[in-house]
Amino acid sequence: MAQAYFPSKVTSPNKELANLLSGERQLKVEDVQEAYVEQKDRLVNAIDATKSIMLDIQTFNKDEWIIRYPQYKEAIETVSPPSAPRRKSLRRSLTFVDDPVTETEVVVRKKMQRSVTVSPISEHTEEEEETDEDASSDFNVLRLDLKLGPNSTVTSLVSQLEKSSIANLLDERINASLNHVDKLRLRVEDTSSKVLVTGDLNAGKSTFVNALLRREVMPVDQQPCTTAFCEVHDAAENKGVEEVHIISQGHSYDVNDESSFTRASISDLEDIVGENEDNERIFKLYLADTRTPSESLLNNGVVDISLIDAPGLNRDSLKTTALFARQEEIDVVVFVVSAENHFTLSAREFLVNASKEKAYLFIVVNKFEQIKNKEKCRRLVLDQIKQLSPRTYENADDLVHFVDSAAALQPYTANPTFDDLESSLRSFVLVKRSKSKLHPVSTYLNNLLTDVELLAGANSIVANTELEQAKESLAQVKPVLERMKNGQESLEESLETLEEEGASGASSRSKLILAQALERVGQGKLGIDNSLVSLPSYPGIFGVWNFARDVRKALLASLDTAVKLAEDEARMITSAGVDRIKDLGEHHLPASVDRNRRVFMPEAMFSTVRKAGKGSTKNRRSLTVVAGGVHGLGIGLAQRPDMQEITFFDLFDVQHQFWLHFGDGQSDKATTADEESAAPTALGLASVGVGALTMVGGQAIGAKGLIEGIIRVSDLFGNETVRKWAAPVLGAVTIGMTAYLVLELPNSIPKTVGRRVRASVLRLHGDDDISFIDAHTFRISRETRKVLRLASWDLRGRFNGAMEERGKEVQAKEEIAKRATRAMEWFGELGRKSEEIRVNARLGSDA
């Protein structure tokens, strides 16, 4: 490609820059450079401090607190009188994307330039909530930018995520900001400046670069021809040699390392670009500018400048994405827009994105000479710039230029508008380096720190809310827990006392009832008075045997009734004990704990159906369950065949009479057991008649007198007269004795049977070495204790469970309060550190 060199025709040079570069104003250049170095050092310190803050946030977000992502909405403004000036309220409605329902009224205030604080509405008065148009409540760097469709919003998507997922998304944004901060530090430390020239397709970018270089270097055509990043450097950086370095893919470029690039001639650039149209290559162009330092941009004598000619924005998505990514290493953006098309959608998106960091953009409106209505074009373009980059619009005289780059390449032709553009660009890049190179870094740090303050303010409010809620919960739960701890020992003692009192009460009451019943039976009476059982009536001498059997059945049934009465008394005692246990539960259990809803059924005690134990039933004793108990313990006496058997001794108790008349005079109670313990003998059976006689004679003259009389009678039988009277006397005695037996049997049989029943019951039963009274007393007491113990266990379980639950709740709330307190302190310190960074680095002030 042919190259042409044109002499500079600067008709309106930048006098300020010319003087600064001359010897007369060298002192001012040094002052500017000194101020730049000072501000650069402050900015480097601010970068390091900001990185430290972001790392702390990342650690805190992972280890101690799930940082919530807030959203701030404009509060509904109150209606003011028409005459009153409209005031913008600082009130915002604070919500969180993971909890959009809960809203908190807050005030977003601006403490210093671009420094934002968030605090609850209650901490401010109405006057403090007014004004401050610049107080922003939206995120810049840390915004969760999610796009799913035309009708999708960040809230609609993120609100469906868990808090931990949102924290992870935020963590990714923090990682991206950390990477960008590292690149910003490299940019600040780099003494050179990189100027990116970009724009839409066919906007004339390459023509504009050629005009700046005053030579045709970049390929120019009606079709898009710049498909790669072409960086133009001063040939002095390459030992004064003009050439192209094609950077090898996957290698880090080093001008002194020939393995990292391939050399090519400047004249072959157009062919090289065409050959690598489908490859993402970067070309380094080293050119010599023969113009003086006061006129040249590359050879300016102050700093190293590189011009980067970028592909068009709307050529394809990959190259557009690559262009967006390269903004991180760019100091100055020169955006070339066609005066015919103005700003396309791609251009708007790029400028909005670039404005987040670079408040000042250098905009070139190319092909302006071809526009007929220039004033209208100028007005429309400036209106669009005002919306896209307000700071650029404010400095439009220096930063927005309407030119025709192709005309500037015409030889020996004056082009004052392009000369003014070039002078302004050189001044912006060289003299105002603080604004062109450092201010973008300052802007990014401000935006990032503003986001940090919004996060800190919102999460501080969240932490304070959680702390207040935890304190409120502790104020309710902790006294309950303390009261339960203090009452635990008392409850245990009360339950043990109730259990013991119930069992002992049932035992003593049962023993008394059964002892009295047994005593009455021994006297031939029913065990209890008020009973459905009654003694049978005497049927006569011929029915005496059945009479004795019926009397035995009635007495045995009365003992069974006494057992049931003892059980009923135990049921009453148990029921009262269960009610007292419920009262203890009402007193000791918190109101929120469920009570035992089971209804106690006293009739279920002493159930007649019991489940057999597991295991083999072989050799297991068969138990007949009657009258609420077990046959082997003497329970259900009226149903036992062995207890219903009648013997002759139920009619005539010879042994009892023998012990009564010939014993040592012990009472009937003392001798009953002993006389019944002796088995009947043959002598006793043979002495039935004698016994009968003894009953009759013994009542009249006494047994001893009778025997003595018999001896004397034997002596009298030797007298003839006595023998005559013997027969009549013996007949009379026999008739009297028989009459006595017939008349006495209805009264003697119940007593005789009762004594024998009592003696049988008091004897040991089967294999169980336990008496009738003790067996029933133990059984009834055990059943009472079991029921009371089950009720006590239920209450203990509920009480211990409730106390454990309250303990865990108190522990959890205390942990929340501790964590919330720590978070409030940490977020407060985070805000103070952010403000300190701003003050020390003087961030936010225009350079």
Side-chain angles (χ1 to χ4, degrees):
M1 182 180 68
Q3 300 184 31
Y5 293 87
F6 306 100
S8 176
K9 297 293 182 179
V10 182
T11 58
S12 57
N14 191 308
K15 297 181 179 180
E16 179 184 6
L17 180 61
N19 292 332
L20 287 174
L21 297 178
S22 66
E24 298 177 359
R25 302 293 299 276
Q26 189 65 34
L27 181 60
K28 186 173 181 180
V29 173
E30 294 177 356
D31 293 340
V32 171
Q33 186 67 16
E34 182 179 352
Y36 171 82
V37 172
E38 181 183 353
Q39 185 174 355
K40 185 195 75 171
D41 293 340
R42 290 200 308 268
L43 203 56
V44 169
N45 294 333
I47 291 174
D48 295 339
T50 303
K51 182 178 180 180
S52 177
I53 282 181
M54 301 307 294
L55 291 174
D56 290 343
I57 293 176
Q58 210 170 30
T59 303
F60 197 73
N61 187 32
K62 292 179 180 178
D63 300 339
E64 298 189 45
W65 183 270
I66 299 179
I67 296 180
R68 307 280 295 278
Y69 187 80
Q71 284 186 320
Y72 298 92
K73 299 179 181 178
E74 292 283 349
I76 300 177
E77 297 183 2
T78 57
V79 179
S80 302
S83 59
R86 187 163 179 247
R87 299 177 299 181
K88 185 175 181 179
S89 175
L90 300 181
R91 287 195 180 192
R92 298 291 186 272
S93 177
L94 171 62
T95 61
F96 295 90
V97 290
D98 58 332
D99 186 15
V101 177
T102 304
E103 294 188 4
T104 304
E105 292 295 326
V106 297
V107 172
V108 180
R109 304 191 72 247
K110 183 176 178 182
K111 297 173 58 179
M112 54 182 293
Q113 188 169 3
R114 299 188 63 80
S115 176
V116 178
T117 60
V118 181
S119 56
I121 195 71
S122 58
E123 298 180 6
H124 298 271
T125 61
E126 188 68 26
E127 289 76 10
E128 290 178 320
E129 298 169 17
E130 302 170 3
T131 70
D132 206 341
E133 298 284 340
D134 297 329
S136 174
S137 58
D138 196 8
F139 285 94
N140 297 289
V141 180
L142 300 181
R143 177 183 297 175
L144 300 182
D145 190 11
L146 305 176
K147 297 180 180 179
L148 294 181
N151 298 323
S152 299
T153 62
V154 176
T155 304
S156 63
L157 174 65
V158 184
S159 60
Q160 302 175 10
L161 303 177
E162 296 181 353
K163 295 178 182 178
S164 57
S165 301
I166 297 173
N168 291 334
L169 292 175
L170 186 60
D171 188 66
E172 293 178 2
R173 297 298 302 162
I174 293 175
N175 280 329
S177 67
L178 285 172
N179 294 332
H180 191 72
V181 166
D182 290 336
K183 294 179 180 180
L184 289 180
R185 198 180 196 287
L186 294 177
R187 275 172 51 186
V188 173
E189 294 287 355
D190 188 5
T191 57
S192 64
S193 291
K194 295 182 179 180
V195 180
L196 176 70
V197 181
T198 187
D200 288 329
L201 288 177
N202 294 326
K205 299 182 302 299
S206 299
T207 303
F208 172 74
V209 172
N210 289 337
L212 286 178
L213 298 175
R214 290 293 196 252
R215 56 189 294 189
E216 294 184 1
V217 177
M218 300 299 173
V220 177
D221 195 350
Q222 292 181 352
Q223 298 295 323
C225 56
T226 306
T227 60
F229 288 94
C230 299
E231 298 186 11
V232 182
H233 296 261
D234 188 7
E237 300 177 26
N238 190 38
K239 300 178 181 178
V241 179
E242 285 191 334
E243 59 184 359
V244 178
H245 290 180
I246 306 173
I247 300 178
S248 304
Q249 291 184 346
H251 287 77
S252 179
Y253 174 74
D254 185 357
V255 69
N256 298 317
D257 183 8
E258 294 191 7
S259 64
S260 63
F261 62 89
T262 302
R263 299 180 186 273
S265 173
I266 296 293
S267 59
D268 298 332
L269 179 60
E270 184 174 358
D271 296 334
I272 296 172
V273 170
E275 293 172 0
N276 294 273
E277 183 175 357
D278 297 328
N279 299 325
E280 297 182 9
R281 289 294 186 92
I282 297 178
F283 306 118
K284 299 281 188 177
L285 280 69
Y286 292 94
L287 299 176
D289 195 342
T290 58
R291 292 179 296 172
T292 63
S294 62
E295 298 174 342
S296 173
L297 184 62
L298 296 180
N299 182 24
N300 55 73
V302 180
V303 294
D304 294 332
I305 300 294
S306 60
L307 284 174
I308 303 175
D309 187 12
L313 285 174
N314 48 5
R315 178 174 176 83
D316 60 58
S317 59
L318 290 178
K319 288 183 170 55
T320 300
T321 302
L323 178 60
F324 272 67
R326 290 211 64 180
Q327 286 192 80
E328 298 177 352
E329 58 186 83
I330 299 302
D331 296 311
V332 178
V333 173
V334 177
F335 195 87
V336 181
V337 58
S338 172
E340 299 171 349
N341 301 325
H342 297 185
F343 295 98
T344 63
L345 292 178
S346 299
R348 290 171 178 272
E349 184 178 4
F350 178 84
L351 291 176
V352 169
N353 185 277
S355 297
K356 293 179 181 179
E357 177 181 323
K358 299 172 177 64
Y360 301 97
L361 302 174
F362 201 92
I363 297 179
V364 177
V365 183
N366 203 13
K367 305 178 183 179
F368 186 67
E369 296 299 328
Q370 303 175 18
I371 301 299
K372 294 182 178 180
N373 192 344
K374 292 181 172 53
E375 290 300 324
K376 180 179 179 181
C377 177
R378 183 186 300 271
R379 186 181 69 257
L380 292 176
V381 169
L382 289 177
D383 288 342
Q384 294 177 1
I385 293 174
K386 184 178 181 179
Q387 298 176 0
L388 299 173
S389 179
R391 295 293 182 90
T392 302
Y393 176 80
E394 294 172 2
N395 296 267
D397 292 341
D398 295 330
L399 300 179
V400 181
H401 295 268
F402 297 82
V403 297
D404 191 336
S405 301
L409 286 172
Q410 299 299 322
Y412 309 106
T413 302
N415 194 333
T417 56
F418 195 87
D419 293 339
D420 289 340
L421 178 152
E422 188 174 12
S423 298
S424 297
L425 180 60
R426 293 176 71 252
S427 175
F428 183 64
V429 174
L430 302 178
V431 179
K432 299 179 180 179
R433 291 193 69 200
S434 296
K435 179 178 290 187
S436 62
K437 186 177 180 66
L438 301 184
H439 192 274
V441 179
S442 174
T443 301
Y444 182 85
L445 292 181
N446 265 296
N447 291 336
L448 182 57
L449 291 174
T450 299
D451 291 353
V452 168
E453 289 167 1
L454 288 175
L455 278 179
N459 283 271
S460 180
I461 292 176
V462 172
N464 182 65
T465 302
E466 291 191 6
L467 178 60
E468 294 300 325
Q469 292 175 350
K471 287 181 178 179
E472 183 178 353
S473 298
L474 286 173
Q476 297 176 356
V477 179
K478 204 167 185 179
V480 175
L481 178 62
E482 294 299 327
R483 186 167 60 251
M484 293 183 70
K485 288 181 178 179
N486 296 333
Q488 185 177 19
E489 185 176 353
S490 172
L491 177 63
E492 290 290 339
E493 293 178 356
S494 299
L495 290 176
E496 291 177 2
T497 301
L498 273 175
E499 183 180 327
E500 192 60 35
E501 287 180 353
S504 61
S507 175
S508 60
R509 184 61 181 161
S510 300
K511 185 175 292 186
L512 177 62
I513 292 174
L514 295 178
Q516 291 178 349
L518 204 57
E519 182 65 23
R520 290 173 59 88
V521 168
Q523 297 174 3
K525 302 176 183 178
L526 294 175
I528 55 176
D529 292 329
N530 299 325
S531 173
L532 298 177
V533 181
S534 60
L535 288 173
S537 58
Y538 182 65
I541 190 64
F542 297 103
V544 67
W545 191 263
N546 291 332
F547 174 69
R549 183 173 59 248
D550 292 340
V551 169
R552 176 176 282 271
K553 287 183 178 181
L555 294 178
L556 291 174
S558 70
L559 287 178
D560 289 341
T561 304
V563 172
K564 293 181 180 179
L565 178 60
E567 291 179 350
D568 290 339
E569 291 284 341
R571 288 187 178 97
M572 294 176 62
I573 294 174
T574 305
S575 180
V578 170
D579 291 339
R580 292 176 63 185
I581 291 175
K582 289 183 177 179
D583 293 339
L584 286 176
E586 292 295 331
H587 177 70
H588 288 277
L589 288 178
S592 59
V593 178
D594 292 336
R595 270 47 174 178
N596 188 356
R597 302 302 178 188
R598 296 189 215 174
V599 179
F600 172 60
M601 301 178 63
E603 58 272 15
M605 293 179 65
F606 315 107
S607 175
T608 59
V609 179
R610 299 179 184 269
K611 294 182 180 179
K614 296 181 180 180
S616 174
T617 58
K618 187 178 181 181
N619 298 328
R620 179 174 292 179
R621 183 177 175 184
S622 176
L623 303 178
T624 303
V625 181
V626 291
V630 181
H631 167 79
L633 293 178
I635 304 172
L637 301 175
Q639 286 77 29
R640 291 180 55 174
D642 59 329
M643 295 294 291
Q644 298 179 10
E645 295 178 358
I646 302 298
T647 64
F648 180 79
F649 293 101
D650 289 328
L651 302 178
F652 302 101
D653 196 348
V654 178
Q655 292 179 343
H656 175 70
Q657 294 297 330
F658 179 81
W659 284 99
L660 180 64
H661 295 286
F662 298 101
D664 55 1
Q666 291 180 348
S667 64
D668 181 57
K669 293 181 181 180
T671 60
T672 301
D674 294 334
E675 66 185 54
E676 291 297 334
S677 63
T681 63
L683 179 61
L685 295 174
S687 304
V688 173
V690 178
L693 180 62
T694 302
M695 285 192 297
V696 178
Q699 295 293 331
I701 58 176
K704 293 180 180 180
L706 180 61
I707 295 174
E708 292 176 357
I710 293 174
I711 296 174
R712 292 174 183 174
V713 168
S714 64
D715 293 339
L716 291 176
F717 274 112
N719 191 322
E720 184 65 22
T721 302
V722 172
R723 284 198 294 270
K724 291 181 180 179
W725 287 96
V729 170
L730 288 176
V733 169
T734 302
I735 293 172
M737 181 185 67
T738 303
Y740 176 81
L741 290 175
V742 171
L743 296 175
E744 186 67 19
L745 278 178
N747 296 325
S748 64
I749 288 178
K751 294 180 181 179
T752 303
V753 173
R755 284 193 302 271
R756 292 181 61 80
V757 169
R758 179 175 180 273
S760 299
V761 170
L762 289 177
R763 285 203 307 265
L764 300 179
H765 294 267
D767 299 331
D768 299 314
D769 189 14
I770 186 171
S771 68
F772 171 80
I773 296 176
D774 292 338
H776 280 292
T777 300
F778 174 76
R779 178 180 63 84
I780 293 173
S781 174
R782 181 182 61 186
E783 186 76 5
T784 302
R785 186 184 297 275
K786 182 182 73 173
V787 174
L788 294 177
R789 182 168 294 174
L790 287 175
S792 299
W793 282 349
D794 180 81
L795 179 56
R796 284 192 184 95
R798 293 177 186 274
F799 182 85
N800 293 333
M803 189 166 66
E804 182 180 0
E805 183 179 349
R806 297 305 181 279
K808 291 181 179 179
E809 187 176 356
V810 168
Q811 184 178 2
K813 295 301 181 182
E814 288 178 345
E815 184 63 28
I816 290 176
K818 181 180 178 181
R819 187 168 57 91
T821 302
R822 161 70 177 148
M824 287 181 62
E825 296 175 352
W826 192 85
F827 285 118
E829 182 64 22
L830 182 66
R832 287 189 289 273
K833 286 182 179 179
S834 176
E835 183 176 354
E836 183 179 355
I837 294 174
R838 296 178 187 277
V839 172
N840 293 338
R842 300 176 188 173
L843 297 181
S845 60
D846 292 337

